[in-house]
Amino acid sequence: MGTNQNNLSSKEANPLTNLDEWEDDLLRRYPEPDSIATAKTTEEYRNYDEPARDTVKEFYRINHTYQTYEFVKEKRNNYLKFDKKEMPIWDAFQFLNQLVDDSDPDTDLDQFQHLLQTSEAIRRDGHPDWMVLVGLMHDMGKVLCLFDEPQWAVVGDTFPVGCAFSDKIVYPEFFKNNPDYSNPEYQTQYGIYKKGCGLRNVTMSWGHDEYVYQMLKDYIPEGGLYMLRYHSFYSWHREGQYEYLLDDKDREMLKWVQLFNPYDLYSKNPVPPDWNKLKSYYEDLVAKYLPATLKF
């Protein structure tokens, strides 16, 4: 182990009351137009009395402390073998639904219905069907929590490891607790990378984004893969950081990541989708792009 993460108590490892709570903070940091938020205004989403959530801050303290380059390599080696479980896609959604938490302030629907709302909002606006599929699949990586991964290794803003941390990452002060912060090799601008190497050659902090990207990388067009892999990389697609690591492909694909994010954040609606009406469409869509079973 490159960290002491196994010594964390359950409360320390999982300070959030639910997996979507980190998105509460995103909606305050990055307000969007109301066009996608059809159920209520964006200001009404994630409406809490406190201006800042102590649990979110604690989450990022832990995340920034333990997401080291060595930690990420260990998790990639463990999970990217995809040898934990294999099941049909529809069974996988039921598996994901075990993560339902009643404390989400915006919806009491299960995870599958949230994913349907995201994909339906994308479909309603006439985007390509592969993007609709991305909406359906983008949170599948959260099954990592069902393999006993702590919250801070599943959700949260992602960022490159192995090079200097940007001060535009949320709560950058907590990186001072990260062992990589004291490693001179990792704390230059480029770190272990080369200028313009391309994000595909950069190791990102570990979480559900990278996991679901790796799971689906052989099946979905490149724009959709960027959506999956980088939708939590806010310091890049919202703050314009890490330009020096990008190549022309990254710059071309940025528009797809920026297009996707509002649908994820603002599509929740208290009215559940009518699965009986949607079932045929989504069964055909999944069959068009994905194999009969997925490996986890």
Side-chain angles (χ1 to χ4, degrees), residues 21 25 28 48-57 171:
E21 192 173 330
D25 185 67
R28 286 190 297 272
Y48 294 92
D49 293 333
E50 308 96 324
R53 305 290 299 280
D54 289 342
T55 52
V56 172
K57 188 173 184 178
Y171 296 117

Side-chain angles (χ1 to χ4, degrees), residues 1 49 61-62 103 118 132 134 152 184 197 207 209 228 230 267:
M1 276 285 179
D49 293 333
R61 183 189 69 80
I62 299 169
S103 60
T118 303
V132 178
V134 168
W152 56 266
C197 63
D209 305 57
L228 293 173
Y230 301 115
S267 62

Side-chain angles (χ1 to χ4, degrees), residues 36-39 45 114-119 121-122 124 262-270:
I36 296 171
T38 57
Y45 275 78
H114 161 57
L115 295 176
L116 276 178
Q117 289 183 337
T118 303
S119 56
I122 293 169
R124 183 177 62 242
Y263 291 103
D264 180 20
L265 295 181
Y266 295 108
S267 62
K268 286 184 177 179
N269 187 305

Side-chain angles (χ1 to χ4, degrees), residues 241-252:
Q241 298 294 291
Y242 296 103
E243 170 65 27
Y244 43 86
L245 296 178
L246 307 182
D247 63 10
D248 289 342
K249 178 61 67 175
D250 299 326
R251 297 184 186 96
E252 177 187 349

Side-chain angles (χ1 to χ4, degrees), residues 94-202:
Q94 292 304 313
F95 188 49
L96 188 64
N97 277 347
Q98 296 177 44
L99 295 172
V100 172
D101 191 302
D102 292 336
S103 60
D104 189 322
D106 290 333
T107 182
D108 56 5
L109 304 180
D110 61 38
Q111 184 67 39
F112 179 57
Q113 289 172 311
H114 161 57
L115 295 176
L116 276 178
Q117 289 183 337
T118 303
S119 56
E120 278 296 284
I122 293 169
R123 183 159 75 121
R124 183 177 62 242
D125 284 353
H127 296 300
D129 64 353
W130 55 258
M131 184 174 169
V132 178
L133 183 64
V134 168
L136 187 70
M137 297 296 296
H138 73 280
D139 277 345
M140 184 62 72
K142 291 181 181 180
V143 300
L144 286 166
C145 281
L146 298 175
F147 300 135
D148 296 325
E149 284 302 300
Q151 292 170 350
W152 56 266
V154 177
V155 298
D157 291 23
T158 57
F159 47 85
V161 293
C163 63
F165 302 113
S166 167
D167 62 3
K168 297 298 184 181
I169 302 170
V170 61
Y171 296 117
E173 64 271 21
F174 291 136
F175 284 118
K176 293 181 179 179
N177 301 324
N178 188 305
D180 287 358
Y181 190 82
S182 302
N183 185 333
E185 182 184 12
Y186 297 156
Q187 287 309 304
T188 63
Q189 182 180 45
Y190 301 114
I192 63 174
Y193 310 111
K194 294 181 179 180
K195 182 178 180 180
C197 63
L199 290 179
R200 65 188 176 279
N201 295 309
V202 173

